[in-house]
Amino acid sequence: MFLTKIDLAPERRLARKYLGSPQAMHAVVMSATGGHDGNGPGRVLWRVDRGMTTALYILSPLEPDCSQLVAEAGTAGTQARTLDYSPFLASLDAGQLWAFRLAANPSHSASRGPGARGQRYGHVTVEQQRQWLMDRVPRFGFELMPVDHADGEGTEEAVLVAYRERPVFNRRRPGGVGYDRVTINRTVYEGVLRVTDPEPLRRALIAGIGRSKAYGCGLMTLARVRQD
């Protein structure tokens, strides 16, 4: 697996197009990676992080060629930075602490009666979105850790909803006849985790968490916990 970071320039026309449409970003990421949309290990995941800078992260089973994407939408003078993710995955072990960031589409299925496929609805409140992740943590091989307040006044929440957005776009129906209107409750989570079982955590990092993986959800990345 390979993890790639690209610094995007939102002032550029094509960058605005890609950032404004999960469908357009999905297409350009697939072009760069030669990826596919299947479930499980081997699929391509991506996430956009917004802050002082705007960065695109791509996780792919093959090393991508991001030269066109960088030329069209990247920050001037920068290149895509790609690293082999496999040594990091192999180094994960029980007891390790990591800061994490995850973009996900928290949702639930509501029954429509016997024999009918359930209708999916997005969780819309911060508490619903936090609870969605906390309910799923045990199966992914980690536990959430509370973080001390900087002023010493107790502890912060074990997981923070750092950013929320609801992109809406048209998606062509299977068979190419007509379009469906799609809304994603994209939620960015941040916090600190402790590894309890490295194998399911590796699977979650590679395969993604939750739904809408083709549209910028599911990718969780880990970073060293900062020691102040």
Side-chain angles (χ1 to χ4, degrees):
M1 299 299 293
F2 294 87
L3 182 65
T4 300
K5 180 182 179 182
I6 302 171
D7 293 321
L8 300 179
E11 68 276 7
R12 301 185 64 182
R13 181 182 62 84
L14 285 176
R16 290 196 302 272
K17 173 185 175 181
Y18 300 148
L19 292 169
S21 169
Q23 190 89 318
M25 184 67 85
H26 167 72
V28 75
V29 167
M30 291 299 105
S31 176
T33 61
H36 63 87
D37 296 331
N39 292 317
R43 69 163 299 141
V44 173
L45 301 172
W46 61 271
R47 186 185 79 218
V48 172
D49 285 358
R50 304 173 189 265
M52 297 295 290
T53 61
T54 301
L56 170 65
Y57 289 86
I58 302 172
L59 183 67
S60 56
L62 300 175
E63 187 170 2
D65 179 1
C66 299
S67 55
Q68 181 176 351
L69 201 164
V70 172
E72 293 177 338
T75 301
T78 64
Q79 296 181 338
R81 286 158 283 175
T82 298
L83 60 85
D84 184 348
Y85 206 43
S86 300
F88 171 76
L89 293 171
S91 73
L92 293 173
D93 202 359
Q96 293 174 341
L97 294 178
W98 296 98
F100 72 87
R101 178 174 290 174
L102 163 69
N105 180 21
S107 61
H108 68 285
S109 180
S111 174
R112 294 196 293 184
R117 185 177 181 180
Q119 177 70 40
R120 297 210 68 85
Y121 296 94
H123 289 302
V124 295
T125 71
V126 170
E127 187 52 41
Q128 288 172 341
Q129 291 166 348
R130 289 182 65 252
Q131 193 62 48
W132 176 89
L133 179 59
M134 291 189 292
D135 289 344
R136 285 156 177 75
V137 159
R139 75 180 74 164
F140 296 132
F142 65 89
E143 60 184 359
L144 297 169
M145 303 298 293
V147 180
D148 291 336
H149 278 291
D151 58 10
E153 297 293 330
T155 59
E156 297 178 356
E157 303 285 1
V159 59
L160 170 69
V161 172
Y163 181 76
R164 305 193 299 160
E165 62 180 352
R166 300 189 73 209
V168 180
F169 59 97
N170 292 325
R171 179 176 60 193
R172 187 179 292 276
R173 293 172 183 161
V177 180
Y179 291 84
D180 291 319
R181 195 73 165 164
V182 178
T183 301
I184 298 174
N185 288 305
R186 185 184 292 145
T187 303
V188 177
Y189 300 91
E190 295 179 349
V192 176
L193 63 82
R194 179 163 59 195
V195 182
T196 56
D197 188 342
E199 192 51 40
L201 177 56
R202 291 187 191 102
R203 290 196 297 267
L205 292 172
I206 294 172
I209 294 174
R211 300 173 64 86
S212 303
K213 297 182 180 74
Y215 302 116
C217 298
L219 177 58
M220 182 167 73
T221 53
L222 306 182
R224 295 190 182 279
V225 177
R226 288 186 297 179
Q227 301 293 333
D228 295 329

